[in-house]
Amino acid sequence: MRLVTSIYEKNDIDNLDSLIDYALINVPHLSINFKDINLDELVSYAKEKKLNIILSINRIMHPGDLKNVEALVDKYNDLLFLASDIGVLNIFKEKNMIENLIYNPETMITNYLDLGLYNDMNLNAIGVSLEITIDDLKLMYEKTKAPIYYQGFGHRLMFYSRRKLLTLYSNKNNDNYPHEGFLKEITREDYLPIVENSEGTLIYRSYLISLLKELEGLSFIKYLYIESFNVDIETFKKVSEIFYDAVINGKIREGILKLNELNLDIEDGFMYKDSVYQKEELK
Amino acid sequence: MSKFELLAPAGDLEKLKVAILYGADAVFIGGLKFSLRSRASNFTIADIKEACDFAHKHNAKIHVTCNIVMHNLDVDGLVEYLKELELAGVDAIIASSLYALKMVKKYTKMEAHVSTQASTANPSAIRFYKNEGFDRVVLARELNLDEIKMCKDSTPLDIEAFIHGGMCVSYSGRCMLSNNMTNRDANRGGCAHSCRWCYDLIKDNKIYNPKGDYFAMSSKDLCAITLMPKLMDIGINSFKIEGRMKSLHYIATVVNTYRKLIDEYESTGKIESFDFYINQINKAENRLTSTGFLNGDPTVNEQLYDLNLTCPTKEFVGIVKEYDSKTHMVTIEQRNYFIPHSKLEVFTPKKSFIIDVADIYDKDNNILDAARHPLEIIKFKCDTKLNPYDLLRLL
């Protein structure tokens, strides 16, 4: 298992320093959640630090995006990429670079038969949906032996729209609301992180997810991804250290204790509870 | 026959027949397995066979959705089910799962259509599906006209585009709001429409939305009437109307409006009056509409902030079941309240006209002072011959 850490800017590398195994750099305008960085400089900096690099280009691509994707892939053909759009997968296939691609269609791979078909493509790794149970995840691996990419820590994405919903709401009220904040459904208590950028709007779950206590049973995962979005840097440094020690040095039990001491708002998500089709099934 | 397919939704056999009679070239339906829209009244295999028989008799096709995002427990029996659908006469399967689509091609002769749940939005993605041997791609609803043209121009594959109905505010298939807030999985047919709930917008403990006003994400329904000539010029193969859970009257009205519009543009090369078609649609559409992404990124005008804002619709009072040419008595099934001595609009697949209704009777010929009960059989005299599936609207 390798550890993948989300990187939005140069400071993230400086702050996390030796705790990064793979740096997942969010490419401006081609990934869903990004900062306006100079990509060339950041990649060079990560290379100087001898980090393994994955470039995230995980947007749904529209026709005009394809030439930018191709140019980026050609330019950084020595790096790994993370993509969510089947059209990007196809570009890697056509360039005979499929082994450079981690394909993660977020919500869409939820059974072993689909996973098996993607596994046959010889991808570097395949992202499995976070909306399945741990048992389902294990069964999918047992049936396919696929190299799996999976989120191990952080806020999980639950909504991705091309609409700029915060700008539109500002316009509706002739006001200028922030482009990042929280939504609170009026009958509930939890706060859902929301962020808008030039490419659309994202909403994350209110709570954090952690697979640390499940990690021993998930050693088959090829890449475990930890997400820093909406986690303050001091906390994320501690979390990175815990996960680095657990994943790279095998210190899981100690990590669980240390993570508990941080008192984070951690929930299990769908790890032990499958979603249902209909209201009538909610007993 | 038109070179364009008008593809309508149907939640049951009656709606399916109405959709075809009112102008649909194909109808998409959900079976009891593997289909989203779990609350739509889905079809048994026997229903699907009857649907296919009816459709083929009228030169129409039946597409069956197998578009849930299957979990491990859901996959059992897929191939057997696909074979049953083929035996029933189904023409095409709509799915987002790569496995399901491949099984369609491997084990049946039905067409494999890539569902909009896959959010196909670029020529490279279309190329991928073409190389897999699939027959059609339903485009993501986030594309504008130029992008749709780029997709269509890039491929010989059939391209289907949405022209009317509800729009997900998220990319289809990528929304887990319902899943996370209610445990009901939108990708398995359980969407609770959490995007239409009311939210406070908060940063640094400050609520930004004004008091009494809430942040909302919902979008207006799509209505592409004024853009149909451009979509037809692009060469879209199939125009899809969303709404398997919509009413019979809605389906008849929307299908018939687009049918006439497509036929007019195809035969004359122009549209005399878009207002005519917009007025027709408004007789059934009770949600506000917009052109979605078709004219570019949505503005405030494409968003729906007040869910109570609906357009008044003409009241649908009944559907004709039979007509006795000797007695001139028409038998209808009531859908909404009306009283004797009313003027009704008769809406048929070919034309609309007005009739005066005098006395009305129940099925036992007892005179009534009002038609009060939905699905009640009502009779009245009408000198103009009416046909089964003609619809009646209160003026």
Side-chain angles (χ1 to χ4, degrees):
Chain A
M1 184 185 291
R2 307 303 296 262
L3 185 66
V4 177
T5 305
S6 61
I7 298 296
Y8 291 91
E9 56 191 338
K10 184 169 170 284
N11 278 350
D12 292 339
I13 294 178
D14 291 334
N15 283 322
L16 300 171
D17 201 24
S18 60
L19 302 173
I20 299 171
D21 181 16
Y22 277 78
L24 180 72
I25 296 176
N26 292 286
V27 175
H29 306 288
L30 292 180
S31 62
I32 56 173
N33 193 355
F34 60 86
K35 291 191 175 169
D36 279 322
I37 50 155
N38 183 319
L39 182 67
D40 292 339
E41 282 179 16
L42 190 56
V43 169
S44 298
Y45 190 62
K47 283 182 172 175
E48 277 172 31
K49 294 273 186 180
K50 310 279 186 218
L51 300 178
N52 299 302
I53 299 169
I54 304 170
L55 296 183
S56 175
I57 47 173
N58 63 347
R59 262 209 309 113
I60 298 290
M61 300 298 174
H62 286 235
D65 298 319
L66 294 183
K67 61 179 189 309
N68 297 331
V69 170
E70 293 215 40
L72 192 75
V73 172
D74 289 340
K75 183 173 184 178
Y76 291 113
N77 58 14
D78 57 331
L79 301 183
L80 289 178
F81 284 78
L82 175 84
S84 175
D85 189 304
I86 199 86
V88 177
L89 182 153
N90 193 56
I91 286 171
F92 277 80
K93 205 170 162 187
E94 289 173 347
K95 290 180 181 291
N96 289 319
M97 288 176 61
I98 200 87
E99 290 175 13
N100 288 38
L101 182 66
I102 300 167
Y103 178 60
N104 179 29
E106 303 284 352
T107 55
M108 302 303 283
I109 300 181
T110 47
N111 66 74
Y112 62 87
L113 294 168
D114 276 301
L115 180 61
L117 288 176
Y118 288 105
N119 191 32
D120 291 343
M121 294 178 194
N122 213 21
L123 289 151
N124 187 286
I126 304 152
V128 169
S129 168
L130 306 173
E131 283 74 30
I132 60 170
T133 64
I134 289 284
D135 285 344
D136 269 342
L137 178 63
K138 287 177 180 172
L139 181 66
M140 288 168 75
Y141 176 74
E142 281 166 21
K143 295 262 191 186
T144 63
K145 306 298 179 201
I148 289 174
Y149 173 93
Y150 208 74
Q151 187 175 350
F153 178 84
H155 287 285
R156 282 181 170 174
L157 186 69
M158 67 170 176
F159 174 92
Y160 165 30
S161 175
R162 186 164 173 82
R163 295 170 194 252
K164 298 185 186 76
L165 295 170
L166 293 170
T167 296
L168 290 170
Y169 186 60
S170 296
N171 292 346
K172 178 230 165 200
N173 285 343
N174 291 318
D175 210 328
N176 189 20
Y177 302 137
H179 284 189
E180 190 171 341
F182 296 90
L183 295 182
K184 182 184 164 299
E185 199 276 323
I186 56 173
T187 65
R188 294 166 188 248
E189 296 303 317
D190 55 337
Y191 288 66
L192 311 169
I194 180 169
V195 60
E196 176 189 299
N197 58 40
S198 58
E199 309 304 324
T201 308
L202 309 171
I203 302 172
Y204 291 78
R205 287 136 170 121
S206 56
Y207 54 85
L208 298 162
I209 200 92
S210 167
L211 260 58
L212 201 60
K213 67 181 192 301
E214 285 77 18
L215 215 52
E216 282 178 344
L218 298 176
S219 57
F220 56 84
I221 289 175
K222 182 173 180 180
Y223 296 107
L224 192 78
Y225 164 61
I226 58 174
E227 168 63 61
S228 63
F229 174 70
N230 210 51
V231 181
D232 70 84
I233 187 61
E234 290 309 317
T235 302
F236 195 69
K237 270 188 204 174
K238 291 172 187 163
V239 168
S240 296
E241 190 174 350
I242 291 167
F243 271 84
Y244 191 89
D245 273 349
V247 171
I248 307 299
N249 302 323
K251 295 180 182 174
I252 297 174
R253 301 257 163 96
E254 299 93 315
I256 293 170
L257 293 174
K258 285 182 183 171
L259 194 69
N260 287 343
E261 285 168 11
L262 295 179
N263 282 323
L264 301 175
D265 181 14
I266 289 174
E267 290 189 23
D268 289 334
F270 293 98
M271 279 194 273
Y272 302 103
K273 175 187 69 175
D274 199 5
S275 57
V276 298
Y277 296 78
Q278 297 184 40
K279 195 177 177 183
E280 291 71 26
E281 294 172 59
L282 288 171
K283 302 283 185 198
Chain B
M1 193 173 171
S2 173
K3 68 177 180 177
F4 302 102
E5 178 184 90
L6 181 58
L7 177 57
D12 60 37
L13 268 171
E14 187 180 41
K15 290 175 189 171
L16 178 139
K17 289 174 182 175
V18 162
I20 291 170
L21 292 172
Y22 279 75
D25 300 300
V27 180
F28 68 99
I29 61 177
L32 293 177
K33 299 176 184 174
F34 306 106
S35 174
L36 289 176
R37 304 291 174 270
S38 60
R39 281 175 290 139
S41 44
N42 286 332
F43 289 70
T44 64
I45 291 291
D47 290 338
I48 292 172
K49 181 164 185 344
E50 187 179 339
C52 292
D53 291 346
F54 183 87
H56 295 161
K57 198 173 148 189
H58 291 83
N59 293 318
K61 291 181 176 178
I62 298 296
H63 304 181
V64 172
T65 56
C66 291
N67 54 352
I68 67 163
V69 179
M70 299 179 289
H71 290 206
N72 289 331
L73 281 174
D74 301 321
V75 299
D76 289 345
L78 176 67
V79 172
E80 292 74 17
Y81 182 63
L82 293 174
K83 287 177 179 173
E84 280 187 275
L85 293 176
E86 185 180 36
L87 270 179
V90 170
D91 300 283
I93 298 296
I94 307 166
S96 58
S97 154
L98 190 58
Y99 174 77
L101 291 160
K102 275 182 172 280
M103 293 305 103
V104 172
K105 297 311 292 182
K106 184 172 179 181
Y107 290 106
T108 79
K109 291 190 164 47
M110 296 183 290
E111 289 191 1
H113 295 182
V114 182
S115 165
T116 194
Q117 291 294 110
S119 288
T120 307
N122 62 70
S124 182
I126 295 168
R127 242 176 7 255
F128 175 87
Y129 291 124
K130 181 178 180 299
N131 291 338
E132 291 290 337
F134 306 150
D135 303 282
R136 175 182 292 184
V137 167
V138 187
L139 293 179
R141 280 171 276 195
E142 284 77 8
L143 296 176
N144 63 40
L145 286 170
D146 290 340
E147 291 172 331
I148 290 172
K149 181 169 168 47
M150 281 188 250
C151 286
K152 177 58 191 165
D153 288 349
S154 74
T155 183
L157 210 59
D158 262 18
I159 295 293
E160 182 177 308
F162 278 85
I163 53 169
H164 201 91
M167 302 266 285
C168 281
V169 70
S170 162
Y171 276 105
S172 295
R174 303 299 174 99
C175 180
M176 290 294 134
L177 278 180
S178 170
N179 214 348
N180 279 276
M181 299 180 81
T182 69
N183 206 39
R184 288 164 54 183
D185 187 352
N187 277 353
R188 293 200 286 172
C191 183
H193 300 291
S194 304
C195 59
R196 297 179 190 168
W197 297 356
C198 296
Y199 297 86
D200 283 326
L201 174 61
I202 298 169
K203 188 171 185 185
D204 299 331
N205 295 319
K206 178 184 172 186
I207 297 177
Y208 280 84
N209 44 298
K211 196 172 181 186
D213 186 66
Y214 294 106
F215 177 82
M217 295 175 249
S218 194
S219 63
K220 291 178 184 171
D221 279 10
L222 176 66
C223 176
I225 280 184
T226 55
L227 299 172
M228 282 300 290
K230 288 181 179 169
L231 286 163
M232 291 168 74
D233 289 346
I234 287 169
I236 295 301
N237 304 87
S238 178
F239 295 111
K240 187 173 213 156
I241 296 164
E242 182 275 346
R244 276 191 279 152
M245 294 170 72
K246 297 281 192 178
S247 72
L248 181 148
H249 178 235
Y250 174 94
I251 290 170
T253 305
V254 175
V255 166
N256 196 250
T257 302
Y258 280 98
R259 170 81 281 147
K260 286 175 176 161
L261 188 153
I262 289 169
D263 290 348
E264 181 184 349
Y265 189 69
E266 210 172 7
S267 60
T268 68
K270 62 183 173 59
I271 297 295
E272 197 67 42
S273 165
F274 284 113
D275 287 345
F276 167 77
Y277 295 109
I278 290 167
N279 288 336
Q280 292 300 308
I281 284 277
N282 286 342
K283 291 177 181 177
E285 179 63 76
N286 63 359
R287 293 189 68 192
L288 298 178
T289 62
S290 78
T291 53
F293 281 85
L294 292 173
N295 279 326
D297 283 350
T299 66
V300 171
N301 294 331
E302 276 72 45
Q303 295 299 109
L304 187 62
Y305 289 107
D306 185 349
L307 294 172
N308 295 319
L309 279 178
T310 55
C311 304
T313 60
K314 280 202 169 183
E315 206 162 347
F316 169 44
V317 297
I319 178 170
V320 174
K321 305 304 279 188
E322 59 183 44
Y323 183 82
D324 187 329
S325 298
K326 288 179 187 162
T327 62
H328 292 191
M329 290 298 284
V330 59
T331 303
I332 72 163
E333 190 176 86
Q334 194 262 27
R335 294 302 166 90
N336 279 299
Y337 179 89
F338 72 102
I339 55 174
H341 307 284
S342 299
K343 271 191 190 304
L344 297 183
E345 178 189 3
V346 181
F347 169 42
T348 83
K350 297 293 176 199
K351 60 181 180 181
S352 296
F353 52 92
I354 309 297
I355 58 169
D356 290 305
V357 176
D359 291 334
I360 64 173
Y361 307 88
D362 68 12
K363 66 178 171 33
D364 299 320
N365 297 317
N366 299 308
I367 196 160
L368 299 172
D369 64 344
R372 291 188 170 83
H373 309 297
L375 302 183
E376 184 181 11
I377 296 299
I378 302 287
K379 298 177 180 181
F380 58 83
K381 193 169 184 193
C382 179
D383 290 332
T384 309
K385 183 177 183 297
L386 304 185
N387 294 300
Y389 297 105
D390 286 351
L391 304 183
L392 304 173
R393 294 167 173 154
L394 197 60
L395 281 179

